[in-house]
Amino acid sequence: MQLVFSDWHKTGTFDLDSIEVLVRNSMHHAGAVTVQQLLRIPEAHSRQIPCACGQQAQYHETRRKQILTMLGPVVFDRAYYLCPGCHQGQSPRDRELDVVGKECSPGVRRMMAAVGSDTSFESGRQQLRLLAGIEVTTKAVERHAEAIGADIVGGEQARRDRVVQLQFPDILGVAVPVLYIELDGTQLPMVRGELTGRVGRNPGQPARTREAKLGCVFTQTGTDLEGRPIRDPASTTYTGAIETAELFGRRLYAEAWERGWDRARKKVVLGDGAEWIWNIAAQHFAGAIQIVDIWHAREHLWDLAAKLFASDEKPRKSWAKKLIKKLNGGRIEAVVSDLRNFPTRKPELRESLRIEADYFERNRDRMRYPKFRKQGLFIGSGVIEAGCKTVIGSRLKQSGMFWTVRGANAIIALRCTRLSGKFEDYWVSGERAA
């Protein structure tokens, strides 16, 4: 502080930025001293305490521990117990403070999890230094963010495995007018060790990515004056992971069940035409209205038109618009008929036409768009499309990033928890457990 006044006497001006940093650091130091004094209040200790192995751990000595808090590093002493049977040591004070085997306080770990879920670990380290005056390493941000994400993953897996598909009466909660489930997949770049034995997406090419599956649940209470559906504000929650469709289906059901699946008057599953999506819908969401995203359906027709009329733009647009008009009108049988009767002698085009005709025929009941519009339902999966970009892409697809399955799933879980508004709930439950 004396240096600041010395500069003022020399120049006649204040460097406000330096003053702010100096005062903040001083207040942090004073706060750290206060926290340290509180932690140094002598604790009452017994001669022995229960050990996890079933025996009694004996009081051994008082040991010193240093941790980094939001206000700076602090040092305190605590009782240390050693078990004569399994030779494992423990400190009840560490368990009480939630710092067992940790070098950082819960508050600092929470901050590292937050920045680590939003940006690269190095950028997160820089943010903590700039915004909070906390000095940590990039590796520490990575380690703690992934550890908290992994803890969230463990909780989700336990919840997923507990869920049993039972019907509960509406008295357990308020009825939900319309509940939507949307799901999709997006590719993530992986380290080489996670790709061993996997086939690439393109024939003859090695695998470079793995699919992360993402699901979201949201509700709709009403429509606008023109009958268009309105998603309820702040009603969207996410869940996702790199895992099999079978496990993901159970994960998504657990999320939907928590959101009021059994209390929903109308249930809707929205997705593209991927087979795994509708297998999940059939297995876990029986009775739901199934809708194929209209934009994906239109894209199928535009892509096919580009193959059929590769060098002639005018007939390409005319043909595609004619079929899209039928699609918009829910006349899927007419679309299928046009595809199966399209005249061409080229084998590759005939095969493309057959594949697309089968796609529309297989999904015809999921493409009755006039019927869905009349009910005031969404017919586009824009929420999950945006979710794949904001929840996963913006964080895990940055330039130069390659992931392990464990690391990716930890960060996906962390981001889903934060963007679903559940981060505070996680910390409350963690504090209770501690």
Side-chain angles (χ1 to χ4, degrees):
M1 188 69 73
Q2 184 63 39
L3 182 61
V4 171
F5 285 107
S6 175
D7 289 343
W8 175 71
H9 282 299
K10 291 178 181 179
T11 64
T13 61
F14 278 115
D15 181 350
L16 183 56
D17 179 61
S18 297
I19 294 173
E20 290 176 304
V21 173
L22 182 62
V23 172
R24 182 186 70 178
N25 291 345
S26 299
M27 297 302 292
H28 279 190
H29 177 71
V33 171
T34 302
V35 171
Q36 183 167 277
Q37 291 300 320
L38 290 172
L39 293 180
R40 284 186 170 181
I41 295 176
E43 61 175 320
H45 60 267
S46 307
R47 293 181 57 186
Q48 58 185 24
I49 61 174
C51 180
C53 72
Q55 299 191 46
Q56 293 292 314
Q58 306 296 321
Y59 174 74
H60 184 65
E61 61 183 347
T62 297
R63 288 192 176 183
R64 181 153 290 186
K65 183 180 182 71
Q66 176 174 308
I67 59 171
L68 177 65
T69 72
M70 296 168 64
L71 300 169
V74 300
V75 177
F76 61 98
D77 297 324
R78 75 273 199 258
Y80 181 79
Y81 295 79
L82 187 65
C83 178
C86 66
H87 304 290
Q88 295 297 312
Q90 59 174 302
S91 294
R93 175 59 67 89
D94 288 2
R95 195 162 54 248
E96 176 188 354
L97 300 176
D98 190 18
V99 292
V100 176
K102 305 288 195 306
E103 75 280 9
C104 299
S105 70
V108 174
R109 301 202 304 273
R110 181 179 186 173
M111 294 168 74
M112 287 194 280
V115 297
S117 71
D118 282 344
T119 185
S120 71
F121 302 124
E122 169 60 19
S123 294
R125 180 195 68 79
Q126 295 174 10
Q127 287 182 9
L128 288 176
R129 181 181 184 183
L130 174 66
L131 302 177
I134 295 177
E135 293 282 356
V136 294
T137 65
T138 301
K139 192 64 180 178
V141 177
E142 177 183 359
R143 184 172 68 253
H144 287 292
E146 290 191 356
I148 291 170
D151 190 50
I152 294 173
V153 169
E156 290 178 343
Q157 290 175 344
R159 180 186 64 171
R160 179 194 66 196
D161 295 340
R162 283 197 309 267
V163 169
V164 178
Q165 297 193 28
L166 299 175
Q167 297 297 318
F168 294 95
D170 286 345
I171 59 172
L172 294 181
V174 178
V176 178
V178 188
L179 186 141
Y180 289 86
I181 296 166
E182 295 189 7
L183 54 165
D184 202 357
T186 184
Q187 298 297 317
L188 282 184
M190 308 299 291
V191 298
R192 185 173 300 177
E194 299 286 8
L195 302 170
T196 304
R198 304 188 70 85
V199 179
R201 301 182 70 196
N202 298 318
Q205 296 292 322
R208 293 185 175 87
T209 63
R210 290 185 63 169
E211 184 179 59
K213 296 177 177 65
L214 183 70
C216 71
V217 180
F218 63 92
T219 59
Q220 172 200 342
T221 301
T223 58
D224 62 16
L225 295 177
E226 298 181 5
R228 292 175 298 196
I230 301 174
R231 178 165 47 125
D232 292 335
S235 70
T236 307
T237 57
Y238 300 94
T239 185
I242 300 174
E243 61 188 2
T244 65
E246 178 184 0
L247 291 176
F248 179 74
R250 290 159 59 186
R251 166 192 296 276
L252 187 55
Y253 178 79
E255 181 67 25
W257 182 78
E258 283 196 352
R259 292 296 312 278
W261 171 257
D262 292 308
R263 294 179 277 107
R265 295 194 181 104
K266 190 172 292 186
K267 308 165 184 178
V268 181
V269 176
L270 248 167
D272 62 24
E275 186 175 355
W276 67 269
I277 289 178
W278 304 115
N279 287 341
I280 288 176
Q283 181 177 358
H284 296 287
F285 305 109
I289 299 170
Q290 298 182 7
I291 303 176
V292 168
D293 171 60
I294 192 171
W295 303 104
H296 276 86
R298 290 173 179 173
E299 187 177 8
H300 274 259
L301 294 175
W302 280 114
D303 290 345
L304 182 57
K307 294 178 182 179
L308 300 178
F309 306 94
S311 58
D312 204 335
E313 182 179 3
K314 188 174 181 179
R316 177 168 69 244
K317 287 185 176 180
S318 176
W319 183 86
K321 287 180 178 179
K322 182 183 72 172
L323 266 69
I324 287 174
K325 185 176 181 180
K326 294 179 180 180
L327 173 69
N328 293 344
R331 299 164 55 202
I332 312 306
E333 288 77 8
V335 173
V336 172
S337 177
D338 285 355
L339 295 177
R340 296 205 187 281
N341 295 317
F342 188 90
T344 180
R345 295 182 178 179
K346 296 182 178 180
E348 64 274 15
L349 292 182
R350 285 203 303 269
E351 179 63 11
S352 295
L353 286 161
R354 183 195 66 77
I355 291 173
E356 294 303 327
D358 289 347
Y359 165 80
F360 283 97
E361 189 167 47
R362 184 171 61 250
N363 290 293
R364 61 185 181 276
D365 291 334
R366 303 182 180 114
M367 296 179 176
R368 307 300 187 188
Y369 299 118
K371 172 185 174 183
F372 302 142
R373 284 195 181 100
K374 190 175 181 180
Q375 297 179 60
L377 301 176
F378 285 99
I379 59 174
S381 58
V383 178
I384 196 64
E385 293 287 337
C388 284
K389 295 177 182 178
T390 57
V391 178
I392 297 179
S394 64
R395 174 62 181 90
L396 289 92
K397 289 189 176 184
Q398 296 181 32
S399 178
M401 288 186 175
F402 297 91
W403 296 90
T404 63
V405 171
R406 182 186 182 278
N409 280 347
I411 298 302
I412 290 171
L414 194 51
R415 285 187 64 77
C416 286
T417 299
R418 294 195 69 210
L419 295 172
S420 300
K422 300 178 180 179
F423 195 53
E424 295 305 315
D425 294 338
Y426 167 78
W427 280 100
V428 169
S429 64
E431 289 168 1
R432 286 175 180 166

